[in-house]
Amino acid sequence: MQIFFNNPWFARLPAAQASALLAVTRSVRLVQGEVLYLQGERTCGTQDGLWGVVRGAVRLSVMHANGNEAIVTLAEAGNWFGETALLADLPRSATATAQEDTELLAVSVERFTALMQDVVFANAMARLEAERLHAAFGLIADMAMHSTRTRLARRLLMMAHGDLTQAASARTTISASQDQIAMMLGVGRTTLNKELQALASCGAIGLRYGQIELRDLEALRAAAA
């Protein structure tokens, strides 16, 4: 499962803990649009609780009372997700949906609990949670303090490094529709298009169907400042 070793968090796991995690998984396949779990659901017993993405991607989103969907993040290949509800014994905070045809590795609640008895693994999970909490606070601060254009530039930079992965190197193309990015930022499609066009006009990005090309990272960072 080399794809997981391309993820910074998993790559830092000592070999014994990485092998132990992979050894207790089972394979699960989802078709595009299939729901893995729903916001508000609880996990219990041997039900699957921790998930690793082998290929494809999973959209984590929250639903508002009016039916609107807000995308929290995308878990792409190499990422693990679902641990928060297990660590705190809380209901699922988001709905997980296959963004495309996706293959996952599943770890049951029971086996995850056993893994957490290893202090090295437990410390690694604590670091993963801390990193994600740090990123979440950054997004909250962006909403309170920055313009839509700045927030867009910042989110595009996050997505360039893998929205949940945050790899050291940035990709040059982001595969995401404008609707998806609008749902990440909580803005309308018209507003998003206006800001994308502004970033494109200064040469920071290029727009293609279902994709955004990152042409000038320095210009994008300047817009994100």
Side-chain angles (χ1 to χ4, degrees):
M1 291 296 179
Q2 180 58 42
I3 187 64
F4 292 108
F5 290 93
N6 296 334
N7 178 279
W9 175 79
F10 193 86
R12 289 193 300 265
L13 268 182
Q17 282 69 32
S19 296
L21 174 55
L22 293 175
V24 297
T25 63
R26 68 179 183 88
S27 180
V28 174
R29 285 178 168 80
L30 303 175
V31 297
Q32 182 178 12
E34 186 173 352
V35 174
L36 180 63
Y37 57 75
L38 292 169
Q39 178 182 347
E41 282 186 347
R42 299 196 71 94
T43 58
C44 59
T46 58
Q47 183 180 349
D48 296 321
L50 180 69
W51 309 85
V53 185
V54 178
R55 63 175 181 86
V58 172
R59 180 175 75 251
L60 300 175
S61 60
V62 295
M63 299 297 296
H64 295 288
N66 61 9
N68 289 335
E69 179 185 10
I71 297 177
V72 178
T73 192
L74 294 176
E76 299 171 303
N79 279 288
W80 295 86
F81 67 94
E83 75 288 341
T84 303
L86 307 185
L87 292 171
D89 190 25
L90 292 171
R92 296 292 187 184
S93 58
T95 293
T97 308
Q99 184 76 1
E100 55 192 86
D101 289 351
T102 297
E103 180 182 356
L104 303 171
L105 293 184
V107 180
S108 70
V109 176
E110 184 178 58
R111 287 175 171 174
F112 178 79
T113 300
L115 289 170
M116 287 294 291
Q117 301 310 303
D118 180 345
V119 67
V120 175
F121 182 80
N123 285 338
M125 292 304 304
R127 176 167 182 156
L128 179 64
E129 283 293 279
E131 290 172 349
R132 290 179 175 174
L133 183 61
H134 182 269
F137 274 119
L139 292 174
I140 293 170
D142 285 350
M143 291 183 67
M145 301 173 62
H146 296 295
S147 68
T148 301
R149 188 171 306 170
T150 300
R151 289 173 56 212
L152 171 60
R154 286 172 173 247
R155 194 57 184 257
L156 291 177
L157 287 170
M158 280 187 67
M159 295 176 75
H161 291 270
D163 202 44
L164 201 60
T165 309
Q166 291 307 288
S169 58
R171 67 189 73 173
T172 58
T173 301
I174 295 171
S175 295
S177 70
Q178 292 192 25
D179 283 338
Q180 291 164 2
I181 296 173
M183 285 191 285
M184 287 180 172
L185 297 176
V187 301
R189 173 69 181 272
T190 301
T191 298
L192 176 70
N193 186 262
K194 175 184 175 183
E195 301 301 344
L196 285 172
Q197 293 296 338
L199 291 176
S201 67
C202 72
I205 64 173
L207 301 176
R208 294 183 292 191
Y209 181 76
Q211 292 184 326
I212 297 175
E213 181 185 355
L214 307 182
R215 293 180 174 174
D216 189 337
L217 285 177
E218 289 306 313
L220 194 58
R221 292 188 183 104

